[in-house]
Amino acid sequence: MKILSPQQLKAVETQTIKIQDVDLINLMERAATAVLNWLKNHMDVSKNHFTIICGVGNNGGDGLALARLLASENSHVKVYLQKNNNYSLDNLTNQKRLKDAKIPIEFYDSETKFEFQPFSIIIDAIFGYGLNRPIEQEWISIINQINQAENAVVSIDVPSGLFCDQLNSPEDAVVQSEVTLTFQTPKLALFLPENEKYVPQFEILDISLDWASMESQNADFHYFSMDQIPQFHKGRTVFSHKYEFGNVVTIGGSYGKIGAILLTTKSVLRSGAGLVTAYVPKCGCQIIQTSFPEAMVMTDFSEDKIIAFPSVDGFDTIAIGPGIGTDEKTALAFAQFLEENDLTNKKMIIDADGINLLAKNPELVNKLPEKTILTPHNKELERLVGNWNDSFEKIKKTKEFVQKNNLIVVSKGAYTQTYLPNAQIYFNSTGNPGMATAGSGDVLTGIIAGHLGKGFTAEEAALFGVFLHGFCGDEAAAQIGQESLIASDILNFIPTGMKKLFG
């Protein structure tokens, strides 16, 4: 789904009102109902206390509507509304509905001292997605009180005080929520590491905005989620044979790091590729053959590192980097491989020390086949594109690097970002912090390489590979928890993940 700017979201709301022949107050009711349903799915609302803090605009109107709906579920509700003379029309309408329902409203200002009852859940409905400047001084004490309370905080749409498409200054007052319930499509700010303390978790609630209007908006940013997965199913026919699903070579490993290329090689076949060959130093041959008999093995002349790359004439997909190291002889062999081979028709993915070898010799980037996939973590990405001061500078530099060199970059981390040569950037929806563990990236490399071998385009393999990797990590975490998760668990859950996605 597209990630839209505040201006685009406003346009979509306007189009929805026109196309569906509804009023804005109806959209407010949808939003409040969606929040109510989320709360009911996570707790017994009739046994909970809610403190709803509302602003003067439409986000406050959402909060007022929610208060009425919660009261109808026999929840204990306390409603605070800013004392002001500039309420939006629909905010006023919801005030009247509360009055008619005999639900009291307590008005507050900058001098108000809230008394939050223990265990009451604070609902933040002060400011919505349209905020474009730091909140005024009068609000700082209000937001500070919310942040200093020991109560759980749920923000409606965005945490109050947070900008949607730019970074806040460190001194800005922003609500620190436990969970943000955003509507229809996520906002860019929810993905940025600078905002983690405000948005540790978010969920998207459907309020039936007009889909065609959303799709008509031009957007550089996208959220890759479950609804896009069915198009990635490529089944097998009765008369299929292994040569139809790719012949992949994985090149990597060095003394003490054979495990990395083993994880990658296993992940290739687990992802559905037809054949895989591991090219490793001699010290890795017995390890691979013993641990993974389904793979073929070729060895380098060297015992402990790669000093010469193999012929790749018989392979359609090449994965380079896991465990390969950055020895000078390995670097020379890598450069020679790229300079002396015609790789025009090869699909390629480069990870780990393969990326570090590129960073040491930037001219080699020009030797890569078009749409080669690079899968760096942040430090490896810095070595390619240079340092950045914040997420927006990182996005700008990576986007320029990708477009200039016609490559695909998968920037690993929370909400892993995939940068495509057409300037589109996708944030991934799967994965969890337990996947921040040694070898996780090696499994991702194998998953992507396996799908390249199966005939996926580079764009498809990168996007779906990242999604599947995170999905399998989530399945593993659900079974064994995040703290104990290791890369082999992700690999072992690939069959479960594929079966759940495609049956």
Side-chain angles (χ1 to χ4, degrees), residues 208-331:
S208 299
L209 296 182
D210 183 67
W211 189 254
S213 298
M214 293 182 63
E215 286 300 297
S216 69
Q217 303 293 322
N218 292 321
D220 289 340
F221 299 102
H222 305 261
Y223 188 52
F224 193 81
S225 55
M226 183 68 79
D227 59 343
Q228 293 157 282
I229 295 307
Q231 64 183 297
F232 290 90
H233 186 211
K234 296 182 188 264
R236 300 188 176 212
T237 65
V238 174
F239 293 98
S240 298
H241 55 82
K242 61 187 177 184
Y243 295 102
E244 294 178 353
F245 302 106
N247 190 1
V248 181
V249 61
T250 60
I251 303 172
S254 55
Y255 186 81
K257 296 180 181 178
I258 299 300
I261 198 66
L262 174 61
L263 287 169
T264 298
T265 307
K266 278 189 173 184
S267 299
V268 169
L269 279 196
R270 278 298 191 192
S271 298
L275 300 101
V276 66
T277 299
Y279 182 84
V280 295
K282 287 182 179 178
C283 66
C285 181
Q286 187 173 352
I287 296 171
I288 301 287
Q289 293 270 253
T290 304
S291 302
F292 190 39
E294 293 86 351
M296 293 174 283
V297 180
M298 297 190 298
T299 61
D300 192 273
F301 301 109
S302 169
E303 181 69 31
D304 60 349
K305 57 181 161 290
I306 289 176
I307 61 173
F309 275 54
S311 168
V312 292
D313 288 346
F315 302 102
D316 50 70
T317 303
I318 308 164
I320 301 174
I324 203 170
T326 56
D327 184 270
E328 184 176 341
K329 290 182 179 179
T330 304

Side-chain angles (χ1 to χ4, degrees), residues 318-388:
I318 308 164
I320 301 174
I324 203 170
T326 56
D327 184 270
E328 184 176 341
K329 290 182 179 179
T330 304
L332 289 171
F334 182 52
Q336 184 179 20
F337 170 73
L338 292 180
E339 289 170 350
E340 295 183 1
N341 285 276
D342 181 7
L343 302 170
T344 306
N345 296 317
K346 302 295 183 183
K347 298 179 180 180
M348 185 180 291
I349 176 169
I350 300 177
D351 182 35
D353 278 333
I355 294 171
N356 293 328
L357 293 175
L358 282 177
K360 284 185 172 184
N361 193 352
E363 293 81 10
L364 293 177
V365 171
N366 298 321
K367 306 294 183 180
L368 298 175
E370 289 187 353
K371 297 184 180 178
T372 291
I373 301 170
L374 308 180
T375 57
H377 57 57
N378 275 348
K379 284 298 180 184
E380 291 163 348
L381 183 58
E382 279 185 1
R383 296 177 192 126
L384 283 177
V385 306
N387 297 334
W388 55 79

Side-chain angles (χ1 to χ4, degrees), residues 28 32 54-66 81 88 90-91 94 125:
M28 258 184 212
C54 303
V56 301
N58 291 338
N59 193 251
D62 293 340
L64 294 170
L66 175 63
L81 178 63
S88 71
D90 294 300
N91 188 298
N94 274 308

Side-chain angles (χ1 to χ4, degrees), residues 8-181:
Q8 290 174 315
L9 283 167
K10 188 67 177 175
V12 169
E13 287 181 2
T14 301
Q15 282 295 100
T16 299
I17 289 169
K18 179 180 178 182
I19 292 168
Q20 298 179 3
D21 193 22
V22 295
D23 296 321
L24 183 57
I25 192 76
N26 300 112
L27 296 186
M28 258 184 212
E29 198 72 8
R30 290 183 196 176
T33 301
V35 174
L36 172 69
N37 290 335
W38 186 91
L39 292 169
K40 289 170 69 174
N41 286 335
H42 288 78
M43 65 191 74
D44 184 346
V45 295
S46 66
K47 296 180 180 178
N48 276 277
H49 290 221
F50 298 90
T51 301
I52 305 178
I53 305 178
C54 303
V56 301
N58 291 338
N59 193 251
D62 293 340
L64 294 170
L66 175 63
R68 174 172 46 78
L69 295 176
L70 281 169
S72 70
E73 298 284 339
N74 298 317
S75 303
H76 185 281
V77 180
K78 185 160 190 174
V79 183
Y80 288 98
L81 178 63
Q82 185 195 16
K83 188 186 299 180
N84 200 289
N85 294 320
N86 295 312
Y87 300 110
S88 71
L89 180 62
D90 294 300
N91 188 298
L92 288 167
T93 300
N94 274 308
Q95 289 182 46
K96 183 178 184 304
R97 289 179 178 180
L98 278 184
K99 183 178 179 181
D100 293 343
K102 296 183 171 49
I103 301 169
I105 297 175
E106 188 169 326
F107 292 88
Y108 68 91
D109 57 25
S110 60
E111 302 300 319
T112 299
K113 302 298 179 186
F114 294 104
E115 294 183 3
F116 299 121
Q117 295 299 313
F119 308 113
S120 179
I121 297 169
I122 298 173
I123 305 291
D124 160 33
I126 303 173
F127 295 108
Y129 67 74
L131 191 71
N132 57 15
R133 65 180 186 276
I135 62 170
E136 298 171 359
Q137 185 69 31
E138 63 181 292
W139 288 101
I140 294 178
S141 67
I142 304 300
I143 289 181
N144 285 343
Q145 287 185 69
I146 294 173
N147 289 342
Q148 291 163 9
E150 296 182 358
N151 307 64
V153 179
V154 176
S155 289
I156 294 181
D157 208 18
V158 293
S160 291
L162 187 72
F163 300 143
C164 280
D165 51 5
Q166 60 180 312
L167 290 176
N168 288 82
S169 298
E171 62 271 15
D172 290 347
V174 181
V175 168
Q176 297 174 14
S177 66
E178 267 69 41
V179 61
T180 295
L181 303 178

